[in-house]
Amino acid sequence: MKAHSKILLGLLLGAAGGLVLQQFVPGAFDTGADGIERLQAGCARDNWLAPFRLGANVFMNLLRMLIVPLILTSIVSGVAGLSGGREFGRLGAKTFGWYILTSLLAIITGLVVINLTQPGVGANLPLAIPDNYEGAAGRSFADIIERMVPQNVFGAFSDNGLLLQVIFFALVAGFFIGRLDEPHRGRMLGLFESGFVLMMRVAEWVLQLIPYGVFVLMVKVVGETGMSAFKPLLYYMAIVAFALLFHAMVVLPILLRVLGRVSPLAWFRAMAPALMTAFSTSSSSVTLPVTLETVEKRGGVPNKISSFTLPLGATVNMDGTALYECVGVIFLSQFYASAGGFELGYADQIYVVVAALMASIGAAGIPSAGLVMMTAILSGLGLPVEGAILLLAIDRPLDMLRTVVNVWSDTCAAAAVARSEGHTVLQTTQT
Ligand code: ASP
């Protein structure tokens, strides 16, 4: 069975199981109190739900266990490999410029859409409100920058909320490994590359568990509050989909046309195989071979450019993920802020923009990586990570969409960089 069919089955069976519990096992849920009150009241059904809650937490911990080693090894090996080849200077600058520009535009699109629609305000989500919300309130932009630089690397590694510090250290370490003399450069690079391969193996294993994870999550969520949580979530999903499509179909095509002088429609048609693979696998890394093939054979981009831009893009350039980090975190903050009666300040939003960019650079190109990184941003804001656990139940369709956007942006970068280097694209016979 295909991975997404399994997940769908997990989702449906979980919802059915949860509904049965909710309908037939009596508890405080039947008193008519709503949302949070029902949760706080606790209920007889709690006993039934306890193992599912445990399963959901263990599954989420497994995913979070991957964050630090995966970010560290992927960024260090990527950046070290890059800065070693000095001849790539100009190409590297252009590619990086495009990646940062498009990711930031994606985040801004998400920020505008989520602030205009405010789906989290007053949403009836089955999440407990934290007693004290710190947020980034009272923190200035300067504080955010200051907190990005770790005083102690091991301190940064030991707390998932300090994600920005891990990424900062990884970028610095990667950069200098690339500049070490042999044999040290080779040794260090080999160490981190092998570490990355190891972590991807572990990740593959954990990812096989996603259908079961979704099943226990659904039993837990539906068993607690019935299907009512899904109304705000459906609205939220529609907003995420809209923002992603806007970025992919308006923002990126304009850039492609203006900066790359390539017809977006023709390029989109040529890229169809890579985009469809991204959609069905939810993984930019798994899609990478197809992306390379499609960009070279159907797009006509020379191998010299595609083999540089695309592997790098599959790890660091994730527009869809960047947008999603921002939208997801602000959605949950809107909920917490409106339910808990506190304000979501500008400093919070600035923190979320910076963190979303870093998280998208640090996220691995594997299913649900973006969602897992979101837990780190939430911890950084002092918010509970349960919100991300709730979103995991409905992550797959959104993950499929954002992976398409991630890969689409990589291919646009390859086309624009090729054009800027004086090559023609889309000239080869289509296969
Ligand atoms: N699945 C995405 C990718 O591989 C990452 C994410 O979860 O956002 O590109």
Side-chain angles (χ1 to χ4, degrees):
M1 217 197 275
K2 289 247 173 68
H4 49 270
S5 326
K6 268 198 200 164
I7 293 173
L8 187 68
L9 195 66
L11 196 82
L12 295 177
L13 287 180
L19 267 183
V20 169
L21 279 180
Q22 202 233 355
Q23 295 295 317
F24 299 112
V25 182
F29 284 87
D30 310 321
T31 60
D34 61 48
I36 309 309
E37 277 173 302
R38 283 191 299 204
L39 266 184
Q40 285 168 344
C43 65
R45 210 173 296 138
D46 266 349
N47 298 335
W48 285 85
L49 290 176
F52 292 97
R53 226 170 262 150
L54 175 72
N57 289 339
V58 168
F59 175 64
M60 206 61 191
N61 280 352
L62 269 178
L63 287 171
R64 297 169 74 204
M65 170 186 93
L66 301 172
I67 301 181
V68 168
L70 205 51
I71 296 181
L72 185 71
T73 52
S74 109
I75 297 189
V76 171
S77 54
V79 174
L82 186 75
S83 54
R86 273 159 232 198
E87 71 274 24
F88 279 133
R90 194 187 57 214
L91 216 57
K94 278 185 199 167
T95 311
F96 256 113
W98 174 280
Y99 287 164
I100 301 286
L101 174 72
T102 56
S103 300
L104 272 179
L105 288 174
I107 295 173
I108 291 168
T109 303
L111 193 66
V112 170
V113 171
I114 194 79
N115 276 305
L116 288 180
T117 51
Q118 309 230 334
V121 175
N124 184 12
L125 298 177
L127 295 171
I129 308 295
D131 296 337
N132 56 335
Y133 168 72
E134 291 171 27
R139 244 192 253 165
S140 64
F141 188 62
D143 293 333
I144 294 170
I145 301 288
E146 196 182 313
R147 284 169 62 114
M148 259 171 63
V149 183
Q151 325 178 2
N152 178 332
V153 180
F154 293 96
F157 291 166
S158 67
D159 182 350
N160 277 347
L162 298 175
L163 158 86
L164 299 191
Q165 300 192 350
V166 175
I167 295 177
F168 178 84
F169 174 75
L171 288 170
V172 173
F175 180 82
F176 284 104
I177 287 176
R179 275 168 172 62
L180 286 179
D181 290 327
E182 294 301 346
H184 305 293
R185 178 177 174 275
R187 281 186 197 151
M188 291 304 285
L189 190 59
L191 176 71
F192 280 98
E193 277 174 353
S194 300
F196 182 53
V197 173
L198 165 69
M199 287 318 296
M200 287 298 267
R201 271 284 170 79
V202 179
E204 253 168 47
W205 167 70
V206 174
L207 292 172
Q208 282 174 0
L209 303 175
I210 282 189
Y212 308 100
V214 167
F215 171 74
V216 289
L217 276 168
M218 285 304 283
V219 175
K220 168 184 168 306
V221 172
V222 177
E224 276 168 358
T225 41
M227 299 300 273
S228 62
F230 290 91
K231 242 189 264 148
L233 288 182
L234 277 180
Y235 180 41
Y236 162 75
M237 288 169 83
I239 287 168
V240 173
F242 168 78
L244 284 172
L245 290 177
F246 184 85
H247 181 70
M249 290 164 60
V250 178
V251 180
L252 286 176
I254 293 178
L255 285 182
L256 192 59
R257 155 93 54 204
V258 175
L259 295 181
R261 286 161 293 123
V262 176
S263 153
L265 204 62
W267 186 252
F268 179 77
R269 273 203 218 107
M271 291 304 110
L275 301 181
M276 283 183 319
T277 312
F279 187 75
S280 51
T281 59
S282 272
S283 164
S284 331
S285 299
V286 172
T287 310
L288 182 60
V290 186
T291 318
L292 277 164
E293 165 100 5
T294 312
V295 166
E296 287 172 22
K297 295 265 167 62
R298 293 172 61 106
V301 170
N303 173 273
K304 178 174 102 206
I305 291 178
S306 61
S307 64
F308 171 73
T309 52
L310 296 175
L312 184 66
T315 28
V316 306
N317 182 44
M318 298 199 179
D319 292 11
T321 306
L323 185 153
Y324 189 64
E325 301 297 312
C326 173
V327 171
V329 170
I330 295 199
F331 168 70
L332 291 171
S333 326
Q334 283 173 348
F335 162 75
Y336 286 122
S338 69
F342 38 73
E343 284 275 312
L344 190 66
Y346 283 107
D348 293 279
Q349 305 234 2
I350 294 176
Y351 164 78
V352 173
V353 169
V354 177
L357 179 67
M358 299 294 243
S360 72
I361 293 176
I366 51 180
S368 289
L371 192 109
V372 176
M373 298 296 280
M374 192 184 282
T375 60
I377 305 185
L378 288 171
S379 317
L381 270 180
L383 287 176
V385 298
E386 274 64 39
I389 302 190
L390 177 69
L391 295 185
L392 185 66
I394 48 133
D395 191 49
R396 189 61 173 206
L398 299 179
D399 192 12
M400 292 162 90
L401 266 187
R402 51 177 202 263
T403 310
V404 172
V405 179
N406 291 346
V407 172
W408 170 232
S409 171
D410 295 343
T411 68
C412 291
V417 172
R419 292 286 287 134
S420 75
E421 292 282 302
H423 302 284
T424 45
V425 300
L426 285 173
Q427 296 297 318
T428 46
T429 348
Q430 301 220 338
T431 44

